[in-house]
Amino acid sequence: MIFIGERINGLQPRIYKFLQERDKEAIQRVARKQAEAGAAYLDLNVGTAWLRPAEVMAWLVKTVQEAVDIPLSLDSRRLEVIEAGLKVCRTGL
């Protein structure tokens, strides 16, 4: 069985606040907690309420990858948001 951590989602009020404030430590804490709980992948979703979601996704990918070394699943309805995350994503995880 493969577990995917889905707690980093901008639709959740707490995560939305962290993203809005660019609270790196808070996002990294959530990422580490999911990895420590056994998540094989982390799903990253910036939500839908952003003026610049692609910019936020790129920041989020970099921030999470500084904290954990597990693969990411970039989640968005908008292709340009996923592309922005892929451009900064480390390979070989």
Side-chain angles (χ1 to χ4, degrees):
M1 184 176 296
I2 297 173
F3 291 100
I4 300 172
E6 295 208 11
R7 295 277 186 204
I8 302 176
N9 187 320
L11 297 175
Q12 296 179 26
R14 180 176 71 120
I15 300 299
Y16 178 85
K17 181 176 184 267
F18 295 159
L19 293 174
Q20 190 175 39
E21 296 172 356
R22 298 292 200 279
D23 189 338
K24 188 177 195 177
E25 292 79 22
I27 290 292
Q28 289 177 337
R29 231 181 357 261
V30 175
R32 280 196 284 289
K33 187 173 182 180
Q34 290 181 98
E36 290 166 2
Y41 296 85
L42 293 184
D43 181 270
L44 304 183
N45 186 327
V46 297
T48 59
W50 294 100
L51 294 176
R52 295 184 303 273
E55 178 184 310
V56 176
M57 179 62 86
W59 174 85
L60 182 58
V61 167
K62 290 183 216 176
T63 297
V64 169
Q65 287 188 326
E66 287 176 9
V68 297
D69 286 327
I70 60 176
L72 305 177
S73 170
L74 307 184
D75 183 3
S76 177
R77 295 184 297 188
R78 298 172 61 183
L79 182 58
E80 66 271 14
V81 174
I82 293 173
E83 287 175 336
L86 289 173
K87 285 180 183 176
V88 299
C89 201
R90 290 190 322 242
T91 58
L93 294 179

